């Protein structure tokens, strides 16, 4: 360490990401070049964008480019760009910490075993640290555009890095890799050319390298150096689809998202007419770690091939923040700012296109998957991103119908060969509905097991009516927003009346029962007056003695609980207690003369109805006392 160098330690999570990258990607180490070139291209994009308004920024160094410099004697490969550069603080911040809080949290939550899993890399992004796949030491020298200071960052990835003042004549960044002994092939022309061709051909800036050419024979033999451009240097999305193969699309996605996995699917489109734009949008296979960050979108905005901004939220609705890609507009002004974007009509048009193309792509994938939800690409997508689509139903009114068709739920319908985990959509549900069934039934609970065991669906199942099993918190709000599908009302098994088909004979029997049990219902009502609104006979139970239901249109107990947990102050809503007239317990109640025993039984019925829906008894101590008494007497 020289006298002027300052030593800094890496943030703990950096060490972990570093070892995750280095250990798990070792056999794919050639990706380092894609990652570093992609960072260099981003630095050029950012400079180019700032130069639109800061006219002196480029100075005499106007030709933006990436250079690869091989130094055989020193054993180094340098990736050089004349882009935006980094200040001292940026070098420390960008290369020594993980600024993204989601990434840090995720890293902290992983077990040692999970940290060995390669697929996780996709969630972090490979990035700069991939330099250590091929280098045992990395030196980064950078000068920020507009500044005359340069700084060098150096690390051997052993937990710390050094930073010290440096000399650099022009703005930009040099990333110098001190190649490991078994990576010396990257000092040769062809291995480097091959890797650039394979992974970075679509980079929109020229990638140059000096090569030696020998001409002549004997005494005339001459070795000259010449500079060659290694890539086509044309943005991928501007090329005709017919010229782009799947591998190029995949590599472009990886460099754009720093995802380690291939994309699940993509759509490359051109819109012409009053507004013109080109878009290339991707769906990831796995939810990236920062999906929770609502302010991010993974779409870059370009205007006439000039990069304008990352994470352009103005052109992607929040629910669709899983989409990665680029949109290149011909109509927006080059000096467009976030403020202009927010008000501009073109922005709204672009956003509409992004939504439309994303939905079309999802619809295509959904059509590809077998109707019984056999795990195809759509199933993979849905299991990662279902919440986003549901948010879309809630917020994106003009796409509600299309989104509703894309929703999938667990269900009581079990086709042969399927398992518990099979998902179904509303359209398939409707197609299976028997003629006498008028509504789409669902039940919401905290887990799949609880939903399946819910007493509320007993009679529905006996009638052979399928019930959708909803387990995500957002589900009930989604259903409230939708209200119906294809003209069929969405009906909660735990709300209002179920309107099950019944014969005249059944009706008469029910009326007679009601008359007979009226005194019991009134006594139960009196005993539970402080808790329940009414007590009535049920038509939804077959095996359980009692259940609690909400009024049609009211919030469910679960929704209330979720809101209370989120800090909302909701008044207690009394619900309806339904009793099963066929159940022995209810019949026994009829003959229970002793008032205090009757009150205990009524309270127990109420508490077990709460338990069955996943709530706690109103007074747990009283509940256990009553239960113990009952057992002692039984
Ligand atoms: P990511 O690119 O996903 O943000 P990286 O680890 O690859 O993560 O890079 C971290 C940050 O370092 C980048 O976001 C960028 O700000 C900065 N950086 C990396 N390479 C360069 C470069 N060649 N020029 C300027 N900044 C760079």
């Amino acid at each position: 360490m020289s006298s002027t160098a300052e030593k800094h330690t890496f943030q703990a999570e950096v060490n972990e990401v570093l070892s995750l990258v280095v250990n798990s990607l070792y056999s794919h180490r050639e990706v380092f070049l894609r990652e570093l070139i992609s960072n260099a291209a981003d630095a050029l994009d950012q400079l180019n964008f700032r130069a639109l308004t800061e006219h002196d920024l480029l100075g005499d160094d106007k030709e933006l480019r990436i250079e690869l410099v091989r130094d055989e004697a020193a054993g180094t490969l340098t990736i050089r760009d004349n882009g935006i550069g980094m200040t001292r603080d940026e070098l420390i911040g960008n290369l020594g910490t993980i600024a993204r809080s989601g990434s840090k949290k995720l890293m902290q939550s992983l077990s040692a075993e999970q940290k060995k899993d390669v697929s996780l890399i996709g969630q972090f992004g490979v990035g700069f640290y991939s330099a250590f796949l091929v280098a045992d030491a990395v030196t980064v020298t950078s000068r920020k555009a507009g500044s005359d200071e340069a700084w060098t960052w150096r690390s051997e990835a052993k937990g710390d890095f050094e930073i010290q003042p440096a000399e650099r004549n022009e703005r930009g960044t040099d990333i110098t890799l001190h190649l490991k002994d078994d990576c010396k092939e990257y000092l040769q022309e062809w291995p480097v050319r091959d890797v650039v061709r394979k992974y970075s051909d679509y980079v929109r800036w020229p990638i140059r390298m000096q090569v030696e050419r020998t001409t002549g024979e004997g005494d005339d033999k001459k070795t000259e150096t010449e500079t060659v451009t290694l890539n086509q240097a044309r943005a991928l999305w501007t090329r005709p689809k017919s010229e782009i193969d799947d591998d190029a699309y995949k590599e472009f996605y990886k460099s754009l998202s720093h995802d380690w996995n291939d994309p699940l699917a993509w759509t490359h489109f051109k819109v012409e007419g009053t507004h013109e734009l080109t878009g290339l949008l991707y769906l990831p296979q796995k939810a990236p770690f920062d999906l929770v960050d609502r302010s991010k979108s993974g779409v870059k905005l370009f205007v006439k091939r000039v990069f304008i901004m990352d994470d352009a939220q103005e052109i992607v609705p929040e629910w669709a923040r899983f989409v990665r890609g680029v949109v290149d507009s011909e109509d927006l002004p080059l000096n467009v700012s976030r403020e202009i974007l927010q008000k501009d009509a073109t922005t709204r048009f672009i956003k509409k296109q992004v939504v439309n193309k994303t939905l079309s792509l999802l619809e295509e994938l959904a059509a590809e998957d077998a109707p019984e939800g056999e795990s195809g690409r759509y199933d993979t997508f849905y299991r990662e991103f279902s919440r986003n689509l549901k948010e879309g139903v809630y917020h994106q009114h003009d796409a509600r119908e299309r989104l509703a068709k894309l929703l999938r739920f667990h269900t009581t319908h079990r086709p042969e060969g399927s398992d518990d985990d099979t998902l179904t959509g509303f359209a398939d549900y409707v197609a299976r509905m028997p003629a006498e069934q008028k509504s789409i039934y669902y039940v919401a609970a905290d887990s799949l097991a609880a939903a399946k065991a819910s007493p509320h669906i007993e009679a529905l199942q006996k009638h052979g009516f399928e019930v959708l099993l909803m387990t995500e918190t957002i589900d009930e709000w989604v259903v409230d927003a939708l209200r119906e599908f294809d003209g069929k009302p969405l009906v909660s098994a735990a709300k209002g009346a179920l309107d099950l088909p019944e014969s005249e004979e059944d009706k008469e029997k029910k009326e007679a029962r009601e008359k007979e049990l009226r005194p019991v219902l009134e006594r139960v009502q009196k005993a539970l007056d402080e808790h329940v609104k009414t007590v009535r006979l049920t038509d939804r139970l077959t095996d359980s003695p009692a259940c609690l239901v909400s009024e049609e249109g009211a919030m469910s107990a679960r929704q209330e609980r979720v809101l209370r947990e989120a800090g909302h102050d909701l008044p207690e809503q009394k619900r309806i207690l339904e009793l099963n007239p066929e159940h022995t317990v209810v019949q026994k109640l009829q003959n229970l003369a002793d008032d205090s025993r009757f009150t205990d039984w009524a309270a127990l019925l109420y508490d077990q109805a709460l338990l069955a829906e996943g709530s706690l008894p109103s007074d747990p101590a009283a509940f256990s006392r009553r239960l113990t008494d009952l057992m002692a007497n039984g």
Side-chain angles (χ1 to χ4, degrees):
M1 185 163 102
S2 78
S3 57
T4 49
E6 284 170 36
K7 226 181 176 97
H8 294 255
T9 44
F10 281 128
Q11 199 187 29
E13 291 76 23
V14 172
N15 286 321
E16 305 206 84
V17 171
L18 249 166
S19 70
L20 184 65
V21 169
V22 172
N23 294 329
S24 48
L25 294 187
Y26 185 72
S27 54
H28 306 275
R29 56 199 170 165
E30 61 189 21
V31 301
F32 79 95
L33 204 51
R34 174 187 76 203
E35 297 299 314
L36 299 179
I37 287 176
S38 154
N39 281 347
D42 290 346
L44 293 170
D45 278 339
Q46 286 184 27
L47 176 76
N48 198 35
F49 173 64
R50 277 192 40 194
L52 293 172
T53 45
E54 298 168 51
H55 302 294
D56 303 333
L57 205 61
L58 295 185
D60 296 333
D61 190 12
K62 289 199 172 25
E63 198 225 6
L64 303 190
R65 62 191 179 272
I66 298 164
E67 287 170 283
L68 304 181
V69 183
R70 294 170 290 120
D71 183 337
E72 268 185 82
T76 61
L77 173 68
T78 297
I79 294 90
R80 170 175 300 157
D81 66 69
N82 56 351
I84 193 77
M86 284 177 272
T87 61
R88 173 183 177 278
D89 289 350
E90 285 169 338
L91 280 169
I92 296 173
N94 292 340
L95 309 182
T97 55
I98 296 185
R100 297 163 297 193
S101 59
S103 169
K104 196 172 148 191
K105 259 196 224 132
L106 181 63
M107 198 31 123
Q108 286 164 344
S109 70
L110 297 176
S111 67
E113 204 46 45
Q114 286 170 316
K115 281 177 189 158
K116 289 186 196 143
D117 182 357
V118 186
S119 66
L120 268 174
I121 295 275
Q123 288 173 278
F124 288 105
V126 189
F128 169 75
Y129 299 115
S130 64
F132 290 99
L133 286 169
V134 293
D136 35 34
V138 176
T139 312
V140 181
T141 299
S142 194
R143 178 167 152 185
K144 183 87 177 181
S147 153
D148 45 19
E149 269 181 22
W151 290 87
T152 291
W153 176 105
R154 185 187 156 88
S155 177
E156 293 175 11
K158 290 185 180 142
D160 55 22
F161 62 90
E162 288 169 18
I163 192 115
Q164 61 180 310
E167 291 292 323
R168 198 176 195 283
N169 292 334
E170 307 282 351
R171 62 153 199 270
T173 305
D174 273 22
I175 312 243
T176 299
L177 310 174
H178 303 266
L179 295 170
K180 294 178 182 172
D181 286 339
D182 57 351
C183 297
K184 296 280 197 234
E185 75 257 32
Y186 299 113
L187 295 172
Q188 312 287 319
E189 175 184 347
W190 281 102
V192 173
R193 289 186 88 146
D194 287 344
V195 177
V196 172
R197 249 286 140 75
K198 184 163 162 199
Y199 295 113
S200 307
D201 194 34
Y202 50 75
V203 169
R204 49 213 172 270
W205 302 104
I207 305 168
R208 305 246 158 88
M209 186 166 76
Q210 283 202 341
V211 297
E212 279 90 48
R213 288 284 167 268
T214 310
T215 50
E217 301 253 322
D219 286 348
D220 290 338
K221 197 166 157 178
K222 271 200 300 199
T223 303
E224 289 174 344
T225 51
E226 62 170 320
T227 303
V228 290
T229 302
L230 307 183
N231 61 334
Q232 293 192 43
R234 249 178 88 198
L236 183 80
W237 63 89
T238 62
R239 300 186 202 170
K241 279 193 208 182
S242 56
E243 280 178 23
I244 312 174
D245 62 15
D246 283 3
D247 284 339
Y249 277 120
K250 288 178 189 170
E251 289 311 328
F252 181 68
Y253 165 77
K254 289 179 180 172
S255 74
L256 189 81
S257 63
H258 289 299
D259 190 347
W260 164 250
N261 299 305
D262 280 343
L264 185 72
W266 58 85
T267 171
H268 184 185
F269 57 91
K270 241 191 161 86
V271 178
E272 279 161 340
T274 36
H275 293 290
E276 264 181 55
L277 66 98
T278 308
L280 175 50
L281 303 177
Y282 291 92
L283 303 176
Q285 289 193 39
K286 284 217 140 285
F289 66 84
D290 55 0
L291 194 68
V292 284
D293 184 350
R294 297 177 168 274
S295 67
K296 282 233 158 131
S297 96
V299 178
K300 285 184 197 244
L301 176 66
F302 286 75
V303 172
K304 301 186 186 79
R305 261 70 55 215
V306 177
F307 166 82
I308 303 295
M309 66 181 73
D310 276 319
D311 303 326
Q313 325 155 24
E314 291 77 6
I315 56 166
V316 184
E318 200 173 283
W319 64 266
R321 61 190 180 277
F322 51 83
V323 176
R324 299 283 173 268
V326 297
V327 169
D328 192 347
S329 162
E330 298 295 324
D331 310 309
L332 285 170
L334 272 172
N335 59 357
V336 68
S337 64
R338 284 231 129 98
E339 291 68 39
I340 298 180
L341 267 187
Q342 276 157 8
K343 293 189 215 115
D344 198 286
T346 315
T347 314
R348 282 194 294 279
F349 175 81
I350 297 176
K351 196 171 185 172
K352 226 175 161 162
Q353 295 303 323
V354 169
V355 169
N356 179 33
K357 299 295 175 183
T358 304
L359 289 174
S360 302
L361 180 58
L362 289 172
E363 284 158 357
E364 257 171 57
L365 296 187
E368 230 177 62
D369 276 18
E372 299 297 359
E374 213 169 86
S375 33
R377 284 196 292 174
Y378 187 70
D379 195 68
T380 307
F381 169 83
Y382 191 79
R383 285 172 198 272
E384 287 290 316
F385 300 105
S386 60
R387 237 169 250 259
N388 292 73
L389 298 191
K390 290 171 185 174
E391 276 176 37
V393 170
Y394 203 76
H395 295 292
Q396 181 102 35
H397 301 240
D398 57 356
R400 208 167 251 181
E401 270 179 41
R402 289 177 78 183
L403 281 161
K405 288 189 182 134
L406 290 165
L407 297 182
R408 299 289 180 268
F409 298 99
H410 288 103
T411 173
T412 53
H413 170 73
R414 286 279 299 275
E416 216 167 304
S418 75
D419 57 27
D420 259 12
D421 204 24
T422 305
L423 299 174
T424 197
F426 288 129
D428 289 325
Y429 178 106
V430 169
R432 285 189 293 265
M433 275 167 64
E436 72 272 23
Q437 186 182 339
K438 302 291 175 245
S439 309
I440 299 173
Y441 295 105
Y442 69 92
V443 65
D446 291 337
S447 69
L448 194 54
K452 269 196 303 194
S454 163
H456 298 102
I457 67 173
E458 288 171 0
L460 287 168
Q461 289 207 276
K462 201 157 168 227
H463 269 85
F465 291 175
E466 180 175 352
V467 183
L468 297 175
L469 308 168
M470 303 194 174
T471 50
E472 280 193 306
T473 310
I474 190 174
D475 288 340
E476 284 175 280
W477 276 276
V478 169
V479 170
D480 288 346
L482 283 175
R483 287 216 188 88
E484 56 155 55
F485 181 87
D486 200 10
K488 315 267 183 306
L490 292 162
V491 172
S492 164
K495 279 188 199 171
L498 289 188
D499 282 335
L500 293 171
E502 56 184 357
S503 62
E504 274 310 308
E505 196 186 329
D506 286 343
K507 243 191 201 148
E508 278 165 27
K509 221 169 105 190
K510 207 167 118 189
E511 275 160 23
R513 271 280 196 224
E514 234 155 45
K515 224 167 159 186
E516 179 197 343
L517 286 169
R518 178 101 332 251
V520 177
L521 294 179
E522 278 165 13
R523 268 179 95 192
V524 175
Q525 169 81 57
K526 219 172 117 205
L528 297 175
D529 206 33
E530 87 179 275
H531 300 297
V532 303
K533 195 167 175 184
T534 13
V535 182
R536 68 185 184 204
L537 293 185
T538 190
D539 51 9
R540 64 193 97 215
L541 300 176
T542 58
D543 301 332
S544 306
C547 68
L548 280 160
V549 300
S550 303
E551 238 151 340
E552 201 176 318
M555 239 183 245
S556 75
R558 190 163 164 265
Q559 280 176 302
E560 278 183 27
R561 180 155 44 87
V562 170
L563 289 179
R564 279 203 195 94
E565 277 164 12
H568 294 268
D569 190 16
L570 292 186
E572 190 76 39
Q573 302 266 4
K574 284 189 187 179
R575 288 187 295 146
I576 302 160
L577 181 71
E578 290 192 347
L579 300 183
N580 176 1
E582 308 306 324
H583 202 282
T584 4
V585 171
V586 176
Q587 286 164 3
K588 278 191 177 170
L589 270 178
Q590 259 185 306
N591 310 319
L592 214 60
D594 181 306
D595 263 339
S596 97
R597 275 189 75 202
F598 188 93
T599 309
D600 278 347
W601 277 48
L604 275 172
L605 273 180
Y606 174 66
D607 283 341
Q608 67 85 33
L610 282 170
L611 281 170
E613 68 175 24
S615 306
L616 280 180
S618 48
D619 177 351
F623 169 74
S624 32
R625 182 185 46 76
R626 288 189 184 111
L627 192 63
T628 320
D629 286 353
L630 191 71
M631 287 158 83
N633 294 329

